[in-house]
Amino acid sequence: MNLMYPNLLFWMYVVLTLAEPPYIVPFKELDNADLYVQMDPNKIPKFLTKPSTYTVVTKDTIVLPCEVYNPGHFVLAWKKGIAILTAGITKVTPEERIRIVEGYNLEIRNAQINDAGNYICQIGTLDPVELKHTLQILIPPRIVGITSNGKVSAKKGSDVILQCNSTGNPPPTITWTRKNNMLPNGEKSFVGNSYTIDSVRRQDDGVYICTASSTIGSSVSEEIDLNILYPPEVKEERSIVFTVEGQETQIVCIVHAEPKAEVLWYRDTLQLDMTEWRITDVRGNRYTLGLRKVQKTDFGNYSCVADNGLGKSKRFIEVTGRPDVAVITSSKQGRSKNSYEMLWTVKSYSPILEYKLLYRQDRTNKSNQEIQYKRPMRRWDDDWTEILINPASTDQLEKRRTETIRGLDSGTRYEATVQSKNRYGWSEVSQPFFFTTSTKNEAHPGNSVLSDPELRDMSITAINKASKMIQIPLLCIVAVITYYLA
């Protein structure tokens, strides 16, 4: 049975070969005229749409046009790369967002990033004709990554690089700002994908904002919280605290540290325990030691010591009942040739018992310039002139005093200092004060020229001489009259 089929096929071949047409036509060469059907040039399909580049924002809808003149019975197809999207009105691609609309235009809904590329509308002639459109997808800016997910810690003095990575089409511009502050370089903003801070300081901590923006969509931002780790930095609010017995007093240290520091208080070298008369308070970076009722034994040197594991720092503060340093407030230009009126103020909780006013001609450009301002008493070999003043007692906190210095040279620059003393001792010497006497005496309104001591003395001398000149002739006349009457 199996041998029948080869024989049968053989005899079919023989019959068909010997038979007359139309059973089989012997092979012959065909020319171009036989291969291609000649077409009327007026009936050849043509594209009325020009190739173009289209842009669309993601999630929007775009229609790619393909208008054909005289399409006839030829098949129109859309393809992207080698992928066939449609053939005629039949959709080949399984993508639900793509369809044919209004003739043979290709509609793409809810555009995605991967929709970008070249789209070809093709006429299925023997020599296919193609129309190519380029589709660009515009992508709003998006930040895809920031340094350490927005939490950055760095030690003081190290270099810090803040990074902000973004995507988008066109590529976004990254702008750096600082929340409620200027950038460390003193600028308000900086443009770049990264921002570098060299040798960070504690003042550089805070929230840094990177903003991605472009011509498409809205700008987006991310925040990076920069935390600087550093040993304690301590500053006393006042290096000397002036008070009096029985008064409540506060000693304050400002402490900056990260991580937060532990602060201990000492008097001399003894760590202080807290009692009902001695308490501490912490408000932010402000650390306070309160002395509720100062005793004389509370006077002395205190220190606040801050430690956070990265380092230790301390500051010293003196609590005293002595007067504060005097502040000289008088004018630097005198009104008189040979005298000067000096005015100063001083704060003291106790009455001032004595003032010490020292003055001398300015020695700025002279030899032996070194001056010992801390000594309350004048040295025997210096050229200071000392005036001791015992003021009237007053309970006012701020005391004012005016003192006239006499016997000065005219048109001369002088240097002066003031010290104050109460029952607790002498204050520090005031800052050097320089004043210059006048080259002539200024007449005060309402006063005569005789108010100047020198002019007054000259006037009195002139009057005395005139009176003597008048007395001599009068005596002669009296003598002559007496002689004749006798």
Side-chain angles (χ1 to χ4, degrees):
M1 188 70 180
N2 293 333
L3 297 176
M4 291 179 59
Y5 291 104
N7 294 331
L8 178 61
L9 292 173
F10 173 78
W11 287 109
M12 288 179 65
Y13 174 78
V14 171
V15 170
L16 292 173
T17 302
L18 298 175
E20 293 293 332
Y23 296 104
I24 189 169
V25 178
F27 176 79
K28 68 175 183 177
E29 290 287 339
L30 297 177
D31 56 18
N32 289 337
D34 296 322
L35 289 174
Y36 299 102
V37 178
Q38 299 296 321
M39 295 184 61
D40 184 351
N42 295 324
K43 295 183 179 180
I44 296 176
K46 298 178 182 179
F47 287 113
L48 299 178
T49 305
K50 300 294 182 182
S52 185
T53 298
Y54 294 89
T55 57
V56 63
V57 180
T58 53
K59 299 183 180 181
D60 283 356
T61 298
I62 183 70
V63 175
L64 303 179
C66 183
E67 187 177 352
V68 180
Y69 168 75
N70 196 22
H73 62 279
F74 294 101
V75 176
L76 302 180
W78 277 100
K79 61 181 182 178
K80 180 186 179 188
I82 62 173
I84 304 297
L85 303 179
T86 64
I89 60 173
T90 303
K91 188 175 75 167
V92 178
T93 178
E95 180 58 66
E96 296 180 354
R97 298 179 297 109
I98 295 178
R99 65 174 181 170
I100 297 295
V101 296
E102 299 177 359
Y104 207 67
N105 299 329
L106 184 68
E107 181 186 79
I108 304 174
R109 300 187 303 276
N110 190 22
Q112 304 298 318
I113 297 175
N114 56 6
D115 291 332
N118 295 324
Y119 288 80
I120 297 175
C121 182
Q122 186 182 78
I123 302 174
T125 58
L126 290 177
D127 187 11
V129 182
E130 295 182 345
L131 169 70
K132 183 171 72 174
H133 292 312
T134 299
L135 179 61
Q136 296 179 348
I137 304 299
L138 300 179
I139 307 169
R142 185 167 68 95
I143 297 176
V144 295
I146 55 177
T147 304
S148 301
N149 293 323
K151 296 291 183 180
V152 178
S153 294
K155 286 187 177 181
K156 176 184 175 182
S158 64
D159 297 338
V160 174
I161 300 177
L162 305 179
Q163 191 74 30
C164 189
N165 300 320
S166 64
T167 61
N169 186 28
T173 298
I174 300 296
T175 303
W176 292 90
T177 55
R178 190 176 176 191
K179 194 172 185 178
N180 301 326
N181 209 335
M182 304 291 285
L183 293 173
N185 60 3
E187 297 178 352
K188 186 176 180 180
S189 62
F190 174 82
V191 176
N193 291 338
S194 63
Y195 183 70
T196 302
I197 308 173
D198 298 325
S199 299
V200 292
R201 308 165 300 160
R202 68 171 178 84
Q203 294 86 352
D204 297 333
D205 68 349
V207 177
Y208 291 78
I209 304 171
C210 71
T211 302
S213 59
S214 71
T215 56
I216 304 302
S218 301
S219 300
V220 292
S221 299
E222 289 286 349
E223 295 184 350
I224 300 178
D225 188 1
L226 178 59
N227 185 35
I228 307 300
L229 306 177
Y230 57 97
E233 297 178 7
V234 183
K235 183 178 180 182
E236 69 278 11
E237 192 171 74
R238 289 181 294 168
S239 59
I240 302 179
V241 176
F242 299 95
T243 185
V244 69
E245 294 176 54
Q247 181 172 324
E248 182 174 347
T249 299
Q250 291 185 339
I251 309 169
V252 179
C253 279
I254 307 300
V255 180
H256 295 276
E258 185 61 37
K260 190 173 182 178
E262 179 185 13
V263 177
L264 300 177
W265 290 93
Y266 291 80
R267 184 170 183 269
D268 296 325
T269 59
L270 179 65
Q271 182 178 337
L272 297 176
D273 295 325
M274 298 303 105
T275 66
E276 60 177 326
W277 303 108
R278 191 165 53 218
I279 59 174
T280 58
D281 181 53
V282 180
R283 296 188 181 183
N285 297 321
R286 195 172 189 268
Y287 291 76
T288 303
L289 173 65
L291 306 177
R292 286 189 169 176
K293 191 174 182 181
V294 173
Q295 304 295 320
K296 190 172 183 179
T297 55
D298 291 326
F299 295 146
N301 293 315
Y302 291 76
S303 61
C304 56
V305 180
D307 188 350
N308 71 343
L310 296 178
K312 182 182 293 187
S313 181
K314 68 166 60 176
R315 282 294 181 272
F316 295 94
I317 302 158
E318 181 185 1
V319 176
T320 181
R322 294 181 289 108
D324 198 349
V325 179
V327 178
I328 302 174
T329 60
S330 49
S331 173
K332 294 184 177 183
Q333 180 59 53
R335 299 170 62 96
S336 176
K337 295 195 306 180
N338 305 110
S339 64
Y340 178 79
E341 188 176 77
M342 180 170 287
L343 171 66
W344 66 87
T345 61
V346 63
K347 291 182 180 179
S348 175
Y349 288 93
S350 299
I352 297 296
L353 303 178
E354 188 176 19
Y355 290 112
K356 186 188 302 295
L357 172 59
L358 298 177
Y359 69 93
R360 68 178 178 185
Q361 290 189 14
D362 183 16
R363 295 167 55 187
T364 302
N365 298 321
K366 299 180 181 180
S367 61
N368 193 20
Q369 298 180 28
E370 186 176 354
I371 304 168
Q372 294 288 345
Y373 289 111
K374 298 296 182 182
R375 296 181 57 130
M377 298 302 296
R378 186 167 60 90
R379 297 181 299 174
W380 67 271
D381 60 343
D382 63 23
D383 56 355
W384 290 97
T385 299
E386 180 182 277
I387 300 177
L388 296 178
I389 306 163
N390 299 112
S393 178
T394 174
D395 293 330
Q396 291 181 337
L397 173 61
E398 185 172 275
K399 282 83 173 167
R400 296 171 61 88
R401 177 70 188 188
T402 302
E403 186 68 22
T404 301
I405 305 175
R406 304 183 185 277
L408 303 177
D409 295 335
S410 64
T412 303
R413 191 168 188 256
Y414 285 86
E415 178 183 8
T417 63
V418 174
Q419 264 187 298
S420 310
K421 179 184 177 182
N422 64 13
R423 64 191 177 104
Y424 297 106
W426 286 96
S427 70
E428 298 291 344
V429 178
S430 68
Q431 289 293 320
F433 179 80
F434 296 90
F435 65 89
T436 304
T437 55
S438 178
T439 56
K440 61 180 181 179
N441 290 315
E442 298 181 10
H444 295 278
N447 294 340
S448 67
V449 294
L450 295 181
S451 61
D452 189 295
E454 292 187 1
L455 293 178
R456 185 174 61 249
D457 292 342
M458 292 173 61
S459 301
I460 293 172
T461 301
I463 293 173
N464 289 338
K465 289 182 179 179
S467 61
K468 290 180 181 180
M469 293 176 65
I470 295 173
Q471 287 177 357
I472 294 174
L474 287 177
L475 290 174
C476 293
I477 294 172
V478 171
V480 171
I481 294 174
T482 305
Y483 174 77
Y484 282 107
L485 292 177

